[in-house]
Every structure is written in structure tokens, then in C-alpha cells.
Amino acid sequence: PWFKERIGAEKLNKLWKWICWAVDAAEQIFGAGMGERKKKYVLNMAEANGWTEDVAEEELDALIEAAVLELTPTHAFEKTAAEDAEG
């Protein structure tokens, strides 16, 4: 709510859509793993397209992490937890 108030609901919705798109594109381009490289790609896209205007670095980072979580299939986390339990 604070972030939405600070930059406005419409801008937040647009930013969220573009961040999700960039995260998805990074996943398609770089494949599994390479998290730092994919994050750098998303940050570069955001900066190059002016998405970072009025957005603090920590806020942008939180949006990217949330987009990664949203775009990651739930079963990937379940499998990881099961593998951890196995030892």
C-alpha cells in the first residue's frame, strides 16, 4: 500500500507489468540458473526504458523478486523442499 501510494496505482500497475515481462524475457534468454545475470538484464531494461524514475533501488529489487516468485511454478518449490528432506 505504501509503495502504491507513493508512486500511484496506475504507475505501479504499469511498472509491475513491465517488470514481469522483463523477468520472463530474462528467463527465456538465459534459461535456468544465472540469477545475477538475469537480474542485471532486468535492471538494465528498467533503466534503459525509464521504468526506474521515482522508484528507489530497494523498491525495484522487491518488485523483481516478487515477479520471479510469481513466475516460478509452485511445484519447483515443492520439489526443492522434498529434495532437501531427502538429504
Side-chain angles (χ1 to χ4, degrees), residues 26-81:
E27 183 63 31
Q28 292 296 314
I29 292 167
F30 298 108
M34 301 174 58
E36 286 301 314
R37 188 166 184 194
K38 290 188 275 190
K39 188 170 188 178
K40 185 175 181 178
Y41 172 84
V42 174
L43 289 170
N44 287 339
M45 288 289 294
E47 191 172 305
N49 289 289
W51 306 339
T52 57
E53 190 175 306
D54 300 327
V55 180
E57 185 177 332
E58 303 83 31
E59 295 165 340
L60 185 59
D61 187 57
L63 285 171
I64 292 169
E65 294 301 326
V68 169
L69 184 61
E70 185 167 300
L71 295 173
T72 302
T74 305
H75 67 276
F77 293 108
E78 292 169 358
K79 183 177 180 184
T80 301

